[in-house]
Amino acid sequence: MLVHLNLCEHAMKKSQAISRMNMEEMLMYDNMSSEIDHNIKNTKTDIDRAKNELKKAKTVRRNRMEYDVLAKLIIQHPPRTDTAKRLDDLKDELQALKMTKNEINQKLDKRRKQMHVLMSALNDLTDSLKDNGSLSEDMSYETFDDEDLDILTRREDIEEPMSE
């Protein structure tokens, strides 16, 4: 019976040792599990941080590309000072051309009036010569009347817009 008691005692000590080992392993596994959970949380945080940095890097890259495109466009155009100077020169030239046009129109009006007076005088002279009988009926002069003047005026008005 002593052997049997020793065997039971030995089995009980063995069971207690196994139970203690199981408890220690469970604690060790719990510690490992909490450590793994902690590492997972840290990794998720690192991944989120890396995603944000990636977004920022993409934004910076896109902005740089847009900047490069705009810089190329800007380089293609002359500086603003040159453009402003050219614009001022063109405005001055346009003003001078308008003044020249006005002067030419005034001269043209003056010449029309002079032509009208001349034609009126010529018609009056022709009429007075006809009344005096100095002109023979075979020699007829064409008179330059208002209708002819209108035709000339229209022709000059049509040519004016082309020169503008």
Side-chain angles (χ1 to χ4, degrees):
M1 198 141 175
L2 206 46
V3 171
H4 187 48
L5 191 56
N6 270 340
L7 275 173
C8 280
E9 212 175 279
H10 180 54
M12 190 172 89
K13 284 183 182 180
K14 189 176 175 184
S15 288
Q16 284 177 348
I18 289 174
S19 175
R20 214 176 352 174
M21 288 284 284
N22 285 340
M23 290 297 273
E24 287 176 7
E25 280 184 359
M26 281 183 61
L27 284 174
M28 185 177 76
Y29 288 139
D30 284 341
N31 287 338
M32 287 175 80
S33 175
S34 65
E35 188 177 322
I36 289 171
D37 288 341
H38 179 66
N39 287 340
I40 288 173
K41 286 180 185 177
N42 287 342
T43 304
K44 283 182 180 180
T45 305
D46 291 343
I47 289 172
D48 289 339
R49 190 178 316 120
K51 282 182 182 179
N52 289 334
E53 288 176 10
L54 180 63
K55 282 182 184 178
K56 287 178 185 177
K58 284 182 180 180
T59 303
V60 167
R61 183 175 181 209
R62 187 182 68 241
N63 289 344
R64 282 185 184 159
M65 289 173 63
E66 288 176 8
Y67 173 81
D68 290 342
V69 168
L70 290 174
K72 287 178 184 176
L73 285 174
I74 290 170
I75 289 172
Q76 290 175 354
H77 296 287
R80 183 176 282 179
T81 55
D82 293 347
T83 305
K85 184 180 184 298
R86 178 152 163 66
L87 182 63
D88 289 340
D89 292 344
L90 289 174
K91 284 180 181 178
D92 292 343
E93 184 179 346
L94 180 64
Q95 188 65 29
L97 289 173
K98 284 181 180 179
M99 288 174 55
T100 304
K101 179 185 172 188
N102 287 338
E103 290 172 4
I104 290 173
N105 284 338
Q106 287 174 354
K107 282 182 184 179
L108 182 62
D109 287 341
K110 182 180 175 183
R111 297 290 156 87
R112 280 187 192 139
K113 290 175 184 175
Q114 289 173 346
M115 184 65 122
H116 185 66
V117 168
L118 180 64
M119 287 297 124
S120 295
L122 186 61
N123 285 337
D124 289 344
L125 183 61
T126 305
D127 290 342
S128 83
L129 286 176
K130 278 183 184 178
D131 288 343
N132 290 340
S134 302
L135 287 176
S136 65
E137 292 194 16
D138 331 341
M139 293 178 53
S140 63
Y141 290 101
E142 288 187 20
T143 60
F144 192 79
D145 58 357
D146 288 339
E147 182 179 306
D148 295 332
L149 185 61
D150 288 341
I151 291 171
L152 282 175
T153 305
R154 269 188 263 132
R155 211 178 269 160
E156 290 168 354
D157 287 343
I158 291 171
E159 291 173 2
E160 265 184 50
M162 286 187 237
S163 64
E164 288 180 1

